[in-house]
Amino acid sequence: MKQIIGYFVILCSIPLLLLVGNEVWKELAKAKQYEQSIVQSIELPEVASSTLPITMYDANNELFSEEYSEWSQPLPLNEIPEIVKQIFLTSEDEHFYNHIGFDVSAIARAFLANTTDQSIQQGGSTITQQLVRMRYLTTEKTYERKLMELFYAHELEQMLSKDQILELYLNEMYFSNQVYGIGGAATYYFDRPLSQLSLAETTFIAAIPNNPSLYDPLKNFENTKSRQERLIDQLAEHNIISQSEATTHKNEIIELNVKSKMQQYPSYSTYVLQELRWLIAKQTGYPEKIAVTTDKMEKEYLQLEMEKEIDAILQQGVHVYTALQPEKQVQDEAAINFILKRSELQASATVIDNETREIISIFGGKDYKKHDLHRAFQSPRQPASAFKPISVYAPYFETTTATKNAIVSGSKYCVGIFCPENYGGRVYGNVTIETAFKHSFNTSALRLFNKIGVDTAFSYIDQFQFNSITDKDRTYAASLGGLTYGVTTLEMADAYSSFIDGFYEPVRSIRKVTNLEGETIYSWSREQKAIWSNNTVNTMRDLLNEVVRSGTGEGLYSTSGYIGAKTGTTNHFKDYWVAGLTNDYTAAVWIGYDTPRSMEKIEKAKIHFSIFNAITD
């Protein structure tokens, strides 16, 4: 008797609840407080709830890496087969094209069902309500949230057409395993576009969103298959297919072909992701604002805002076309890993194509895995004498009339309290600049640096991309590569590329970035500027070559017809460097331990020479 009375009360209350009930009006008033933000959200239907992939292509336009935390491939409604729409309309919302966002009769049935066990289980939700729940609300099962859902659904129906709502719904549903949208589900579970799936395969993936955990085909295949068969039966009940067709489709064997994420060349793709963020940041204008802001809190705020804007752009999905030469990347990685295989040593290396000034190969560390420390651009180390061509010699020749045969002393020398020693504490008399350069005399380099001055030297250093060099580094120690944090092999190869012909443009891995429609939305400007005169370039190339012929670089070689390089060894043998160029490539190599310690015992092995030879040959 009590249950009958309960049904009667509920039936009488439903119209009142939906139309004039105090609770409804209370919730509507509450919702009106957020109406402006709600409308703004609804006015942006193109913003999907999932993150679209970032796909990377090599120099041959071949896909080599996909970056995504969620897999999604949105499709316009006209590219979604009609049978797919019918599957969801018949199973989720028969009256979709007739209601105003919610179905009063469905809600009434849900109220009756829910009263039976005194809990909220059956929702009576339309497709519009489900879309609202995915986009704007939580999935908690309370009457308060349900009422808010009705308001949102009605508002959404005022803003968008039925077809627009259905398109968004089909593209934003969750298909388990971080897969969103029917198009993404097709390519993820069958590795084929939706248009190429059979009806059995289509209904199979259509079974998943009803309960993505229960119907996860990778864990609960039989559950998914059972619901697929119910969906096929519904199609037959609505005369969309015949009973015999339904039987045939239910008997079709389902063979999954789950997509594996393309993740080749992690050293290269990891760097590309960082360069992509730099490229987008440059377009936002935030870096300039951050640079001129002196307030620390303001800098942090602007940095956060910039990162949010970059993330929002990347979530829309982009295609990134790069300069990667896959065969060279494979060859270089294999060679360096082989050289280091019996050692705890780490290494980084960067190779630039001299003709295009592009990064064609990069090595982030031994046996590099995705998200490891990328030593080629994330781990600056002291460059020692490898820095001298940039900090001392090229600026000296550029600002004086001296030649490589000019005389400089190699005797003891101090500037204030800075009194460096030559290797092994040796003291030399007057020598040519060529001799001082190829044997890396520290006292001679400091004398030349002092002649041109710190400001003049840094007027050249600052033109390159040394991101870790700060104002604190504007000291005499910089002449010998003594820096607060140091530099990376990427930065060194970038700077040395100016010795190709005296012109400089920052080296890049990215050629262009397009949106999903193939339109170019970002690309680096390709403007070269003259840094060194022809005389300076020729002199520096001669000096670098002499290092290899009869100086500290003996053991380096190239079959290209030219090689020039400068070596570097920091105090206590904690870092070994080679930076230089051949006719084909410009490269920089660093070896050492992540936690610095002496490598004096392996000095004669010249491991960094072997790496440089391998990647520039």
Side-chain angles (χ1 to χ4, degrees):
M1 185 67 181
K2 288 183 179 179
Q3 191 175 49
I4 295 173
I5 294 173
Y7 287 157
F8 179 78
V9 170
I10 290 169
L11 287 170
C12 291
S13 299
I14 287 172
L16 187 62
L17 258 174
L18 295 175
L19 301 174
V20 296
N22 288 334
E23 289 302 312
V24 173
W25 291 115
K26 186 186 299 181
E27 293 303 326
L28 288 175
K30 189 179 188 180
K32 284 291 182 182
Q33 297 175 10
Y34 307 102
E35 184 170 4
Q36 185 175 0
S37 61
I38 293 169
V39 171
Q40 288 175 348
S41 296
I42 293 172
E43 287 176 342
L44 297 172
E46 71 278 9
V47 179
S49 61
S50 56
T51 302
L52 303 182
I54 300 170
T55 53
M56 299 183 191
Y57 300 85
D58 63 27
N60 304 313
N61 292 332
E62 296 291 334
L63 176 67
F64 73 88
S65 187
E66 297 168 309
E67 304 293 333
Y68 57 86
S69 56
E70 302 167 353
W71 179 252
S72 178
Q73 291 191 314
L75 297 171
L77 193 64
N78 61 9
E79 292 184 17
I80 297 176
E82 187 63 31
I83 191 65
V84 174
K85 304 170 194 174
Q86 292 301 325
I87 291 169
F88 285 98
L89 291 172
T90 57
S91 63
E92 299 294 332
D93 192 353
E94 283 187 72
H95 306 295
F96 172 71
Y97 281 97
N98 300 316
H99 60 59
I100 60 172
F102 52 85
D103 188 332
V104 175
S105 61
I107 294 173
R109 288 193 300 272
F111 267 74
L112 288 173
N114 293 337
T115 305
T116 305
D117 59 3
Q118 303 295 307
S119 66
I120 298 178
Q121 299 296 332
Q122 184 172 326
S125 295
T126 64
I127 280 176
T128 311
Q129 287 173 260
Q130 291 180 53
L131 177 60
V132 160
R133 195 180 309 139
M134 288 187 286
R135 281 198 149 211
Y136 310 114
L137 301 174
T138 67
T139 55
E140 61 177 340
K141 294 179 179 179
T142 64
Y143 288 116
E144 182 181 18
R145 200 275 301 150
K146 195 71 174 178
L147 289 168
M148 183 68 80
E149 181 182 296
L150 297 179
F151 172 73
Y152 271 67
H154 184 264
E155 287 288 323
L156 191 62
E157 292 262 355
Q158 306 309 303
M159 301 297 300
L160 304 176
S161 69
K162 289 288 187 178
D163 282 351
Q164 287 175 311
I165 291 171
L166 182 59
E167 178 179 310
L168 288 170
Y169 174 74
L170 293 173
N171 281 313
E172 295 189 20
M173 284 184 298
Y174 183 50
F175 284 81
S176 194
N177 298 297
Q178 296 305 110
V179 177
Y180 289 84
I182 188 73
T187 54
Y188 184 82
Y189 290 109
F190 292 106
D191 199 24
R192 299 200 309 281
L194 180 63
S195 60
Q196 294 181 16
L197 299 192
S198 68
L199 187 140
E201 292 169 330
T202 301
T203 49
F204 184 84
I205 56 175
I208 302 171
N210 184 264
N211 189 327
S213 297
L214 180 64
Y215 300 124
D216 178 355
L218 304 187
K219 296 179 180 178
N220 304 306
F221 185 91
E222 292 305 320
N223 291 348
T224 317
K225 186 69 175 71
S226 295
R227 177 162 172 77
Q228 175 234 28
E229 293 180 4
R230 292 199 298 275
L231 292 178
I232 292 174
D233 286 337
Q234 282 186 328
L235 292 175
E237 289 168 10
H238 287 79
N239 297 315
I240 296 170
I241 60 174
S242 67
Q243 287 294 341
S244 62
E245 287 174 323
T247 300
T248 300
H249 294 312
K250 287 192 289 187
N251 289 335
E252 181 179 321
I253 296 174
I254 300 296
E255 295 182 354
L256 297 179
N257 183 17
V258 179
K259 174 181 176 55
S260 58
K261 185 185 288 189
M262 181 73 79
Q263 289 277 271
Q264 292 179 293
Y265 322 121
S267 269
Y268 200 92
S269 63
T270 298
Y271 172 69
V272 171
L273 277 178
Q274 179 57 67
E275 188 181 306
L276 177 61
R277 298 186 75 87
W278 288 334
L279 174 56
I280 297 173
K282 184 176 178 63
Q283 308 295 324
T284 66
Y286 276 105
E288 291 80 4
K289 296 176 185 177
I290 294 170
V292 300
T293 301
T294 56
D295 183 81
K296 183 178 179 182
M297 294 292 289
E298 180 71 6
K299 278 185 181 290
E300 291 180 0
Y301 171 77
L302 290 172
Q303 185 71 35
L304 287 172
E305 288 298 300
M306 181 178 73
E307 295 298 328
K308 283 168 57 178
E309 186 168 333
I310 292 171
D311 288 339
I313 291 169
L314 294 180
Q315 285 170 7
Q316 298 173 27
V318 293
H319 299 305
V320 185
Y321 293 86
T322 76
L324 170 69
Q325 292 185 6
E327 291 182 0
K328 180 155 183 57
Q329 181 72 31
V330 169
Q331 171 191 308
D332 291 352
E333 286 186 9
I336 301 173
N337 282 324
F338 179 79
I339 291 168
L340 299 177
K341 68 177 182 178
R342 292 189 178 89
S343 169
E344 296 178 32
L345 280 175
Q346 269 295 354
S348 72
T350 304
V351 182
I352 310 302
D353 183 285
N354 287 351
E355 183 176 350
T356 63
R357 310 293 175 104
E358 294 174 323
I359 302 166
I360 58 173
S361 169
I362 196 165
F363 185 84
K366 181 169 62 176
D367 300 321
Y368 184 85
K369 301 293 189 301
K370 201 75 175 174
H371 306 306
D372 285 353
L373 172 68
H374 199 297
R375 295 160 187 83
F377 77 93
Q378 291 179 328
S379 183
R381 299 291 286 251
Q382 300 296 324
S385 295
F387 199 56
K388 291 175 183 175
I390 303 299
S391 62
V392 179
Y393 288 94
Y396 183 77
F397 290 121
E398 191 67 23
T399 57
T400 72
T401 59
T403 68
K404 64 181 182 179
N405 295 316
I407 301 299
V408 62
S409 174
S411 62
K412 291 182 179 181
Y413 187 70
C414 297
V415 178
I417 60 172
F418 182 56
C419 301
E421 292 186 346
N422 295 319
Y423 181 80
R426 296 185 179 91
V427 177
Y428 303 95
N430 289 336
V431 295
T432 63
I433 290 179
E434 180 180 79
T435 298
F437 184 89
K438 71 180 181 180
H439 294 301
S440 205
F441 295 167
N442 289 332
T443 57
S444 299
L446 180 58
R447 280 183 168 88
L448 299 180
F449 187 83
N450 195 22
K451 284 183 180 180
I452 61 173
V454 173
D455 290 341
T456 297
F458 271 87
S459 70
Y460 291 98
I461 294 170
D462 291 342
Q463 296 186 64
F464 303 110
Q465 296 188 106
F466 292 115
N467 296 319
S468 296
I469 290 181
T470 69
D471 288 340
K472 295 179 181 179
D473 291 317
R474 302 179 79 88
T475 67
Y476 287 94
S479 63
L480 311 181
L483 304 169
T484 305
Y485 302 107
V487 298
T488 64
T489 58
L490 172 63
E491 294 166 347
M492 288 290 275
D494 172 74
Y496 267 68
S497 70
S498 65
F499 296 136
I500 296 171
D501 57 10
F503 288 88
Y504 171 72
E505 73 175 78
V507 299
R508 311 294 190 190
S509 67
I510 295 175
R511 291 179 171 174
K512 67 177 180 178
V513 180
T514 74
N515 59 21
L516 300 184
E517 287 72 45
E519 302 166 329
T520 298
I521 53 176
Y522 299 107
S523 61
W524 292 108
S525 60
R526 300 299 301 268
E527 297 179 2
Q528 290 189 346
K529 60 180 178 180
I531 303 289
W532 316 119
S533 66
N534 287 336
N535 180 68
T536 297
V537 171
N538 292 334
T539 302
M540 290 305 302
R541 288 175 67 93
D542 286 346
L543 291 177
L544 291 167
N545 178 249
E546 194 60 35
V547 169
V548 175
R549 286 166 52 85
S550 58
T552 60
E554 287 188 88
L556 296 170
Y557 63 83
S558 172
T559 58
S560 73
Y562 171 82
I563 182 170
K566 188 72 183 74
T567 62
T569 303
T570 57
N571 291 341
H572 310 296
F573 306 93
K574 292 181 179 179
D575 304 274
Y576 289 145
W577 284 83
V578 179
L581 62 164
T582 67
N583 278 339
D584 300 320
Y585 306 120
T586 300
V589 173
W590 164 86
I591 66 168
Y593 297 100
D594 285 336
T595 301
R597 66 177 191 264
S598 175
M599 296 183 289
E600 186 175 8
K601 291 182 179 179
I602 61 170
E603 181 184 18
K604 292 182 180 179
K606 297 185 177 181
I607 293 171
H608 48 318
F609 285 28
S610 298
I611 293 174
F612 189 89
N613 289 337
I615 65 176
T616 58
D617 190 23

